[in-house]
Coordinates of all heavy atoms in Angstrom, one line a residue:
R171 N -121.2 -28.1 142.1 CA -122.0 -27.7 140.9 C -121.4 -26.5 140.2 O -121.4 -26.4 138.9 CB -123.4 -27.5 141.4 CG -124.4 -26.9 140.3 CD -125.7 -26.4 140.9 NE -126.4 -25.7 139.9 CZ -127.2 -26.3 138.9 NH1 -127.4 -27.6 139.0 NH2 -127.9 -25.7 138.0
E172 N -121.1 -25.5 141.0 CA -120.6 -24.3 140.4 C -119.3 -24.5 139.6 O -119.1 -23.9 138.6 CB -120.4 -23.1 141.6 CG -121.6 -22.7 142.2 CD -122.6 -22.0 141.3 OE1 -122.2 -21.5 140.3 OE2 -123.9 -22.1 141.6
M173 N -118.4 -25.3 140.2 CA -117.2 -25.6 139.4 C -117.5 -26.3 138.2 O -116.9 -26.1 137.0 CB -116.3 -26.4 140.3 CG -115.8 -25.7 141.5 SD -114.4 -26.6 142.3 CE -115.3 -27.8 143.1
A174 N -118.4 -27.3 138.2 CA -118.7 -28.1 137.0 C -119.3 -27.2 135.9 O -119.0 -27.2 134.7 CB -119.8 -29.3 137.3
M175 N -120.3 -26.3 136.3 CA -120.9 -25.5 135.3 C -119.9 -24.4 134.8 O -119.9 -24.2 133.5 CB -121.9 -24.6 136.1 CG -123.2 -25.5 136.5 SD -124.1 -26.2 135.2 CE -124.8 -24.7 134.4
L176 N -118.9 -23.8 135.6 CA -118.0 -23.0 135.1 C -116.9 -23.6 134.2 O -116.5 -23.0 133.1 CB -117.4 -22.1 136.2 CG -116.6 -20.8 135.7 CD1 -117.5 -19.9 135.1 CD2 -115.9 -20.2 136.9
M177 N -116.5 -24.8 134.5 CA -115.6 -25.6 133.7 C -116.2 -25.7 132.4 O -115.5 -25.5 131.3 CB -115.3 -27.0 134.5 CG -114.6 -26.9 135.7 SD -112.9 -26.9 135.6 CE -112.4 -27.0 137.4
A178 N -117.5 -26.1 132.3 CA -118.2 -26.4 131.0 C -118.3 -25.0 130.2 O -118.0 -25.0 129.0 CB -119.5 -26.9 131.3
S179 N -118.6 -24.0 130.9 CA -118.7 -22.7 130.2 C -117.4 -22.2 129.6 O -117.3 -21.3 128.6 CB -119.2 -21.7 131.1 OG -118.3 -21.2 132.1
H180 N -116.2 -22.7 130.1 CA -115.0 -22.4 129.6 C -114.4 -23.6 128.7 O -113.3 -23.6 128.4 CB -114.0 -22.2 130.7 CG -114.1 -20.8 131.3 ND1 -113.3 -19.7 130.8 CD2 -114.8 -20.3 132.3 CE1 -113.6 -18.8 131.5 NE2 -114.5 -18.9 132.4
G181 N -115.4 -24.3 128.1 CA -115.1 -25.3 127.1 C -114.8 -26.7 127.5 O -114.4 -27.6 126.7
A182 N -114.8 -27.0 128.8 CA -114.3 -28.4 129.3 C -115.6 -29.3 129.0 O -116.7 -29.0 129.1 CB -114.0 -28.4 130.7
K183 N -115.3 -30.6 128.8 CA -116.2 -31.7 128.7 C -116.3 -32.2 130.1 O -115.0 -32.6 130.6 CB -115.8 -32.6 127.7 CG -115.8 -32.1 126.2 CD -115.2 -33.1 125.3 CE -115.0 -32.4 124.0 NZ -114.3 -33.3 122.9
V184 N -117.4 -32.4 130.8 CA -117.3 -32.6 132.2 C -118.1 -33.9 132.6 O -119.2 -34.2 132.1 CB -118.1 -31.4 132.9 CG1 -118.0 -31.6 134.5 CG2 -117.4 -30.1 132.6
V185 N -117.4 -34.6 133.5 CA -118.0 -35.8 134.1 C -118.5 -35.3 135.5 O -117.6 -34.9 136.3 CB -117.1 -37.0 134.3 CG1 -117.7 -38.1 135.0 CG2 -116.7 -37.4 132.9
V186 N -119.7 -35.3 135.7 CA -120.4 -34.8 136.9 C -120.6 -35.9 137.8 O -121.5 -36.8 137.6 CB -121.6 -34.0 136.8 CG1 -122.2 -33.5 138.0 CG2 -121.4 -32.8 135.8
N187 N -119.7 -36.2 138.8 CA -120.0 -37.3 139.7 C -120.7 -36.8 141.0 O -120.2 -35.8 141.6 CB -118.6 -37.9 140.1 CG -118.7 -38.7 141.4 OD1 -118.4 -38.2 142.5 ND2 -119.2 -39.9 141.3
D188 N -121.7 -37.5 141.4 CA -122.4 -37.3 142.6 C -123.3 -38.3 142.8 O -124.5 -38.6 142.1 CB -123.2 -35.9 142.5 CG -123.5 -35.3 143.9 OD1 -123.9 -36.1 144.7 OD2 -123.2 -34.1 144.1
P189 N -123.2 -39.1 143.9 CA -124.2 -40.1 144.3 C -125.4 -39.6 144.9 O -126.4 -40.3 145.2 CB -123.4 -41.0 145.3 CG -122.4 -40.0 145.8 CD -122.0 -39.1 144.9
G190 N -125.5 -38.2 145.1 CA -126.7 -37.6 145.6 C -127.0 -38.0 147.0 O -128.2 -37.9 147.4
V191 N -126.0 -38.2 147.9 CA -126.3 -38.6 149.3 C -126.6 -37.4 150.1 O -126.3 -36.2 149.7 CB -125.1 -39.3 149.9 CG1 -124.7 -40.6 149.1 CG2 -123.8 -38.4 149.8
S192 N -127.2 -37.7 151.2 CA -127.6 -36.5 152.1 C -126.2 -36.2 152.8 O -125.1 -36.7 152.6 CB -128.4 -37.1 153.3 OG -127.9 -38.2 153.9
L193 N -126.2 -35.2 153.7 CA -125.0 -34.6 154.2 C -124.2 -35.6 155.1 O -123.0 -35.4 155.0 CB -125.4 -33.4 155.2 CG -124.3 -32.4 155.6 CD1 -123.5 -31.8 154.5 CD2 -124.8 -31.4 156.6
D194 N -124.9 -36.5 155.6 CA -124.2 -37.5 156.4 C -123.8 -38.8 155.7 O -123.2 -39.7 156.1 CB -124.9 -38.0 157.6 CG -126.3 -38.6 157.3 OD1 -126.6 -38.7 156.1 OD2 -127.0 -38.9 158.3
G195 N -124.0 -38.7 154.3 CA -123.6 -39.8 153.4 C -124.5 -40.8 153.1 O -124.3 -41.9 152.6
K196 N -125.9 -40.6 153.4 CA -127.0 -41.5 153.2 C -127.9 -40.9 152.2 O -127.8 -40.0 151.6 CB -127.6 -41.7 154.6 CG -126.7 -42.3 155.6 CD -127.4 -42.5 157.0 CE -126.3 -42.9 158.0 NZ -127.0 -43.1 159.4
D197 N -129.0 -41.8 152.0 CA -130.2 -41.3 151.1 C -129.8 -41.0 149.8 O -129.9 -39.7 149.3 CB -130.9 -40.2 151.9 CG -131.4 -40.4 153.2 OD1 -131.7 -41.6 153.5 OD2 -131.3 -39.5 154.1
E198 N -129.3 -41.9 149.0 CA -128.8 -41.6 147.6 C -129.9 -41.3 146.7 O -131.0 -41.8 146.7 CB -128.0 -42.9 147.0 CG -126.7 -43.1 147.9 CD -126.0 -44.3 147.3 OE1 -126.3 -44.7 146.2 OE2 -125.0 -44.7 147.9
T199 N -129.7 -40.5 145.7 CA -130.5 -40.0 144.6 C -129.7 -39.6 143.4 O -128.6 -39.0 143.7 CB -131.5 -39.0 145.0 OG1 -132.1 -38.6 143.8 CG2 -130.9 -37.7 145.6
D200 N -130.0 -39.8 142.3 CA -129.3 -39.5 141.1 C -129.7 -38.2 140.6 O -129.1 -37.7 139.6 CB -129.3 -40.7 140.0 CG -130.7 -40.7 139.4 OD1 -131.7 -40.0 139.8 OD2 -131.0 -41.6 138.7
G201 N -130.5 -37.5 141.3 CA -131.1 -36.2 140.7 C -130.1 -35.1 140.6 O -130.1 -34.4 139.6
P202 N -129.2 -34.8 141.6 CA -128.3 -33.7 141.5 C -127.3 -33.7 140.3 O -127.3 -32.9 139.5 CB -127.7 -33.7 142.8 CG -128.6 -34.3 143.8 CD -129.3 -35.4 142.9
A203 N -126.7 -34.9 140.1 CA -125.9 -35.1 138.9 C -126.5 -34.9 137.6 O -126.1 -34.2 136.7 CB -125.1 -36.4 139.0
R204 N -127.8 -35.5 137.5 CA -128.4 -35.4 136.2 C -128.9 -34.0 136.0 O -128.9 -33.6 134.8 CB -129.7 -36.4 136.4 CG -129.4 -37.8 136.3 CD -130.8 -38.7 136.2 NE -130.5 -40.0 136.3 CZ -129.9 -40.9 135.3 NH1 -129.6 -40.3 134.1 NH2 -129.8 -42.1 135.5
E205 N -129.3 -33.2 137.0 CA -129.6 -31.8 136.8 C -128.5 -31.0 136.3 O -128.7 -30.1 135.4 CB -130.2 -31.2 138.1 CG -130.7 -29.8 138.0 CD -131.2 -29.3 139.3 OE1 -131.6 -30.0 140.3 OE2 -131.3 -28.1 139.4
V206 N -127.3 -31.2 136.9 CA -126.2 -30.4 136.4 C -125.8 -30.7 134.9 O -125.6 -29.8 134.1 CB -125.0 -30.6 137.4 CG1 -123.8 -29.9 136.8 CG2 -125.3 -30.1 138.7
V207 N -125.9 -32.0 134.6 CA -125.6 -32.4 133.3 C -126.6 -31.7 132.3 O -126.3 -31.2 131.2 CB -125.6 -34.0 133.1 CG1 -125.7 -34.4 131.7 CG2 -124.4 -34.6 133.8
R208 N -127.9 -31.7 132.7 CA -129.0 -31.1 131.8 C -128.7 -29.6 131.7 O -128.7 -29.1 130.6 CB -130.4 -31.3 132.5 CG -131.0 -32.7 132.3 CD -132.4 -32.7 132.6 NE -132.7 -32.1 133.9 CZ -132.9 -33.0 135.0 NH1 -132.7 -34.3 134.8 NH2 -133.2 -32.5 136.2
D209 N -128.3 -28.9 132.7 CA -128.0 -27.5 132.6 C -126.8 -27.3 131.7 O -126.8 -26.3 131.0 CB -127.8 -27.0 134.1 CG -129.0 -27.0 134.8 OD1 -130.1 -27.1 134.3 OD2 -129.0 -26.7 136.1
I210 N -125.8 -28.0 131.9 CA -124.6 -27.8 131.0 C -125.0 -28.1 129.5 O -124.6 -27.3 128.7 CB -123.4 -28.8 131.5 CG1 -122.9 -28.4 132.8 CG2 -122.4 -28.9 130.3 CD1 -121.8 -29.3 133.4
R211 N -125.6 -29.1 129.3 CA -126.1 -29.4 127.9 C -127.0 -28.3 127.3 O -126.8 -27.9 126.2 CB -126.7 -30.8 127.8 CG -125.8 -31.9 128.0 CD -126.6 -33.3 128.0 NE -125.6 -34.4 128.2 CZ -126.0 -35.6 128.3 NH1 -127.2 -36.0 128.5 NH2 -125.0 -36.6 128.5
A212 N -127.9 -27.9 128.2 CA -128.8 -26.7 127.7 C -128.1 -25.5 127.3 O -128.5 -24.7 126.6 CB -129.8 -26.5 128.9
A213 N -126.9 -25.3 128.0 CA -126.1 -24.1 127.7 C -125.2 -24.5 126.5 O -124.4 -23.5 126.2 CB -125.2 -23.7 128.9
G214 N -125.3 -25.6 125.9 CA -124.4 -25.9 124.7 C -123.1 -26.6 125.0 O -122.3 -26.8 124.1
G215 N -123.0 -27.1 126.4 CA -121.8 -27.8 126.7 C -122.0 -29.4 126.6 O -123.0 -29.9 126.2
E216 N -120.9 -30.1 126.9 CA -120.9 -31.5 126.9 C -120.7 -32.1 128.4 O -119.7 -31.6 129.0 CB -119.8 -32.0 126.0 CG -120.0 -31.7 124.5 CD -118.9 -32.4 123.7 OE1 -118.8 -33.6 123.6 OE2 -118.2 -31.6 122.9
A217 N -121.5 -33.0 128.8 CA -121.3 -33.5 130.1 C -122.0 -34.9 130.2 O -122.9 -35.2 129.4 CB -122.0 -32.6 131.2
V218 N -121.6 -35.7 131.2 CA -122.1 -36.9 131.4 C -122.1 -37.1 133.0 O -121.2 -36.7 133.8 CB -121.4 -38.1 130.8 CG1 -119.9 -38.2 131.3 CG2 -122.1 -39.4 130.9
A219 N -123.1 -37.9 133.4 CA -123.4 -38.1 134.9 C -122.8 -39.4 135.4 O -122.8 -40.3 134.6 CB -124.8 -38.0 135.3
D220 N -122.2 -39.3 136.6 CA -121.7 -40.6 137.2 C -122.3 -40.6 138.7 O -122.3 -39.5 139.3 CB -120.2 -40.6 137.3 CG -119.7 -41.8 137.9 OD1 -119.6 -42.9 137.3 OD2 -119.4 -41.8 139.1
F221 N -122.6 -41.7 139.1 CA -123.3 -41.8 140.5 C -122.5 -42.6 141.5 O -123.0 -42.9 142.5 CB -124.7 -42.4 140.2 CG -125.5 -41.6 139.2 CD1 -125.7 -42.4 138.0 CD2 -125.9 -40.4 139.3 CE1 -126.4 -41.8 137.0 CE2 -126.6 -39.8 138.2 CZ -126.8 -40.5 137.1
G222 N -121.3 -43.0 141.1 CA -120.5 -43.8 142.1 C -120.0 -43.0 143.3 O -119.9 -41.8 143.3
S223 N -119.7 -43.8 144.3 CA -119.1 -43.2 145.6 C -117.6 -43.2 145.5 O -116.9 -44.2 145.2 CB -119.5 -44.0 146.8 OG -118.8 -43.6 147.9
V224 N -116.9 -42.0 145.7 CA -115.4 -42.0 145.6 C -114.9 -42.8 146.8 O -113.6 -43.2 146.6 CB -115.0 -40.5 145.8 CG1 -115.5 -39.7 144.6 CG2 -115.4 -39.9 147.2
A225 N -115.6 -43.2 147.8 CA -115.1 -44.0 148.9 C -114.8 -45.5 148.3 O -114.1 -46.2 149.0 CB -115.9 -44.1 150.0
D226 N -115.3 -45.8 147.2 CA -115.2 -47.1 146.7 C -114.2 -47.1 145.6 O -114.4 -46.4 144.5 CB -116.6 -47.7 146.1 CG -116.5 -49.0 145.5 OD1 -115.4 -49.5 145.0 OD2 -117.6 -49.7 145.4
A227 N -113.1 -47.8 145.7 CA -112.1 -47.7 144.7 C -112.5 -48.2 143.3 O -112.0 -47.6 142.3 CB -110.8 -48.6 145.2
D228 N -113.3 -49.2 143.3 CA -113.8 -49.7 141.9 C -114.6 -48.6 141.4 O -114.5 -48.4 140.1 CB -114.6 -50.9 142.1 CG -113.7 -52.1 142.5 OD1 -112.5 -52.1 142.1 OD2 -114.2 -53.1 143.1
A229 N -115.5 -47.9 142.1 CA -116.3 -46.8 141.6 C -115.5 -45.7 141.1 O -115.7 -45.1 140.1 CB -117.3 -46.3 142.6
A230 N -114.4 -45.3 141.8 CA -113.4 -44.3 141.4 C -112.8 -44.6 140.0 O -112.8 -43.8 139.1 CB -112.4 -44.0 142.5
R231 N -112.4 -45.9 140.0 CA -111.8 -46.3 138.6 C -112.9 -46.2 137.5 O -112.5 -45.8 136.4 CB -111.2 -47.6 138.7 CG -110.0 -47.8 139.5 CD -109.3 -49.1 139.3 NE -110.0 -50.0 140.3 CZ -109.7 -50.3 141.5 NH1 -108.7 -49.7 142.0 NH2 -110.3 -51.3 142.1
A232 N -114.1 -46.5 137.8 CA -115.1 -46.5 136.8 C -115.4 -45.1 136.4 O -115.7 -44.8 135.3 CB -116.4 -47.2 137.5
M233 N -115.5 -44.1 137.2 CA -115.8 -42.8 136.8 C -114.6 -42.1 136.0 O -114.9 -41.4 135.1 CB -116.1 -41.9 138.1 CG -115.0 -41.6 139.0 SD -115.5 -40.7 140.6 CE -116.5 -41.9 141.4
V234 N -113.4 -42.6 136.3 CA -112.3 -42.1 135.4 C -112.4 -42.8 134.1 O -112.3 -42.1 133.1 CB -110.9 -42.4 136.1 CG1 -109.7 -42.2 135.1 CG2 -110.7 -41.5 137.3
S235 N -112.8 -44.1 134.1 CA -112.9 -44.8 132.8 C -114.1 -44.2 132.0 O -114.0 -44.2 130.7 CB -113.2 -46.3 133.1 OG -112.1 -46.9 133.7
L236 N -115.2 -43.7 132.8 CA -116.3 -43.1 132.0 C -115.9 -41.9 131.2 O -116.3 -41.6 130.1 CB -117.4 -42.7 133.0 CG -118.6 -42.0 132.4 CD1 -119.3 -42.9 131.5 CD2 -119.6 -41.6 133.6
A237 N -115.0 -41.1 131.9 CA -114.5 -39.9 131.2 C -113.6 -40.3 129.9 O -113.9 -39.7 128.8 CB -113.5 -39.1 132.1
V238 N -112.8 -41.3 130.0 CA -112.0 -41.7 128.9 C -112.9 -42.3 127.8 O -112.7 -42.0 126.6 CB -110.9 -42.7 129.4 CG1 -110.1 -43.2 128.2 CG2 -109.9 -41.9 130.4
E239 N -113.8 -43.2 128.2 CA -114.6 -43.9 127.3 C -115.6 -42.9 126.5 O -115.8 -43.0 125.3 CB -115.4 -45.0 127.9 CG -114.6 -46.1 128.3 CD -115.2 -47.0 129.3 OE1 -116.5 -46.8 129.6 OE2 -114.7 -48.0 129.9
T240 N -116.1 -41.9 127.2 CA -117.0 -40.9 126.7 C -116.3 -39.8 125.8 O -116.7 -39.5 124.8 CB -117.8 -40.3 127.8 OG1 -118.4 -41.3 128.6 CG2 -118.9 -39.4 127.2
F241 N -115.2 -39.3 126.4 CA -114.6 -38.1 125.7 C -113.2 -38.4 125.2 O -112.6 -37.5 124.6 CB -114.5 -37.0 126.8 CG -116.0 -36.5 127.2 CD1 -116.2 -36.6 128.5 CD2 -117.0 -36.1 126.4 CE1 -117.5 -36.2 129.0 CE2 -118.2 -35.7 126.8 CZ -118.5 -35.8 128.2
G242 N -112.6 -39.6 125.4 CA -111.4 -39.9 124.8 C -110.1 -39.7 125.6 O -109.0 -40.3 125.4
R243 N -110.4 -39.0 126.9 CA -109.2 -38.8 127.7 C -109.7 -38.1 129.0 O -110.8 -38.0 129.2 CB -108.2 -37.8 127.0 CG -108.9 -36.5 126.7 CD -108.0 -35.5 125.8 NE -106.7 -35.1 126.6 CZ -105.5 -35.3 126.3 NH1 -105.2 -36.0 125.3 NH2 -104.6 -34.8 127.2
I244 N -108.7 -37.9 129.9 CA -109.0 -37.2 131.2 C -107.9 -36.2 131.4 O -106.7 -36.7 131.3 CB -109.3 -38.1 132.3 CG1 -109.8 -37.2 133.6 CG2 -108.1 -39.0 132.7 CD1 -110.4 -38.1 134.7
D245 N -108.2 -35.0 131.7 CA -107.2 -34.0 131.8 C -107.1 -33.3 133.3 O -106.1 -32.9 133.7 CB -107.4 -32.8 130.8 CG -107.3 -33.2 129.4 OD1 -106.2 -33.5 129.0 OD2 -108.3 -33.3 128.8
V246 N -108.3 -33.3 133.9 CA -108.4 -32.7 135.2 C -109.2 -33.4 136.2 O -110.3 -34.0 135.8 CB -109.0 -31.3 135.1 CG1 -109.1 -30.6 136.4 CG2 -108.1 -30.5 134.1
V247 N -108.8 -33.7 137.4 CA -109.6 -34.2 138.4 C -109.9 -33.2 139.5 O -108.9 -32.6 140.1 CB -108.8 -35.5 139.1 CG1 -109.6 -35.9 140.4 CG2 -108.9 -36.7 138.1

Side-chain angles (χ1 to χ4, degrees):
R171 174 189 172 85
E172 295 298 332
M173 290 191 293
M175 295 293 297
L176 195 63
M177 296 274 184
S179 74
H180 278 271
K183 302 170 184 178
V184 184
V185 177
V186 181
N187 160 260
D188 202 311
V191 297
S192 56
L193 191 59
D194 61 1
K196 301 175 182 178
D197 305 323
E198 295 185 12
T199 171
D200 63 8
R204 291 191 187 280
E205 180 180 342
V206 175
V207 169
R208 284 197 302 267
D209 290 346
I210 289 174
R211 290 175 176 173
E216 297 183 60
V218 63
D220 178 87
F221 313 108
S223 169
V224 297
D226 182 333
D228 289 336
R231 286 189 287 268
M233 63 185 74
V234 170
S235 295
L236 177 63
V238 175
E239 291 165 4
T240 305
F241 300 120
R243 59 186 291 122
I244 184 167
D245 298 289
V246 181
V247 165

